[in-house]
Amino acid sequence: ADDRSINAGELAGFMLAIRNDGPGDASGMALTALLPAGLGILWQIDPSSPSAGSFLITGALDSQALSLQSNATFLEHGTALAVHVIGLTDPMDMSAATPQATLTATATVRAANEPLGIQDDEASATVLVNAPTLAVSMTPDRNTVQGGEVAGYTLTITNRGPGDAIGVTLADVLPAGRGNALSWTIDASTGNPDAFVITGLISLQLAPSITTLAAGASLSVHVSALTGALDAGTLNNSAIVNALNELD
């Protein structure tokens, strides 16, 4: 496998090599390699593979197999054929209850002129695919403030893993107050202020430079606004966080 553990939404890959350690040439070769099903993967041969033209992939989605081309059934002693197969994982095909999936590829090769006792040599490789689990929380500085006092919230985004979150977005429309005049600012001394921006006075978002959140990592920000007499009442605030490779 290219990598034994990857994030959902990334490429999974397997390198398969057939070697003839000799001393005789192999003829009548046959390869049976069932490619992993699931995660919406449509496997394909990497055209830059050393022996890409000697292999082909057949079958529909979730039932694909890798085999040898009809003109690649002979292998001289001391030589090899190698192919790289790749496929893009799709987190939408993972279970929300289990943010991990295992992709196992198994291959068997034989030659017609190979002794029966050593035919059907088998190899396998496994890739673990990890999806992120994002959570957002929000805590007010105080549950009650008087008009003319400062209202504030601390917002925290956490990736509980096990995969890194890719393409992370935050949508938080801060309350404008009854007078539609609240002007929110980010506290530069708390949390991760550089990871957030406020646009249009009341829209809190992640900064453009923040697109990935590693498994186990978190980002937090404190925002505040000076209230006025016209803002008496409840200031409701809610936020939504998403990632492109998060489960549905």
Side-chain angles (χ1 to χ4, degrees):
D2 295 355
D3 294 292
R4 293 184 178 181
S5 182
I6 64 173
N7 297 305
E10 294 180 335
L11 279 176
F14 296 92
M15 177 66 80
L16 180 141
I18 302 173
R19 297 188 310 274
N20 181 3
D21 295 327
D25 298 340
S27 61
M29 285 197 310
L31 168 69
T32 303
L34 300 178
L35 298 172
L39 302 191
I41 301 175
L42 189 63
W43 296 99
Q44 56 185 314
I45 293 173
D46 180 351
S48 66
S49 300
S51 314
S54 297
F55 295 84
L56 76 159
I57 293 176
T58 56
L61 183 70
D62 291 338
S63 60
Q64 292 181 282
L66 177 71
S67 59
L68 289 167
Q69 294 276 11
S70 59
N71 61 354
T73 59
F74 179 85
L75 189 61
E76 293 182 354
H77 67 280
T79 63
L81 295 174
V83 66
H84 184 220
V85 294
I86 54 175
L88 185 65
T89 60
D90 186 346
M92 296 301 106
D93 290 322
M94 298 177 74
S95 167
T98 309
Q100 287 184 313
T102 300
L103 301 173
T104 300
T106 302
T108 304
V109 66
R110 64 158 54 198
N113 65 334
E114 197 175 19
L116 291 178
I118 60 172
Q119 281 186 338
D120 297 325
D121 189 56
E122 184 176 288
S124 63
T126 297
V127 175
L128 182 64
V129 184
N130 303 290
T133 306
L134 290 178
V136 60
S137 63
M138 195 179 311
T139 306
D141 295 352
R142 290 182 291 165
N143 291 327
T144 303
V145 297
Q146 303 298 319
E149 294 181 336
V150 173
Y153 299 91
T154 297
L155 178 143
T156 302
I157 301 170
T158 302
N159 180 6
R160 297 171 181 165
D164 296 344
I166 300 170
V168 184
T169 58
L170 168 69
D172 180 8
V173 178
L174 299 165
R178 286 191 176 181
N180 291 318
L182 289 185
S183 178
W184 294 90
T185 58
I186 292 174
D187 181 352
S189 63
T190 303
N192 310 98
D194 292 339
F196 297 83
V197 293
I198 293 176
T199 60
L201 299 181
I202 63 170
S203 180
L204 179 65
Q205 302 171 357
L206 285 169
S209 60
I210 304 298
T211 58
T212 301
L213 188 61
S218 62
L219 294 170
S220 65
V221 65
H222 179 250
V223 295
S224 60
L226 180 64
T227 64
L230 293 178
D231 297 312
T234 301
L235 298 177
N236 293 313
N237 190 11
S238 61
I240 299 173
V241 64
N242 285 302
L244 292 177
N245 66 332
E246 191 178 18
L247 305 179
D248 251 347

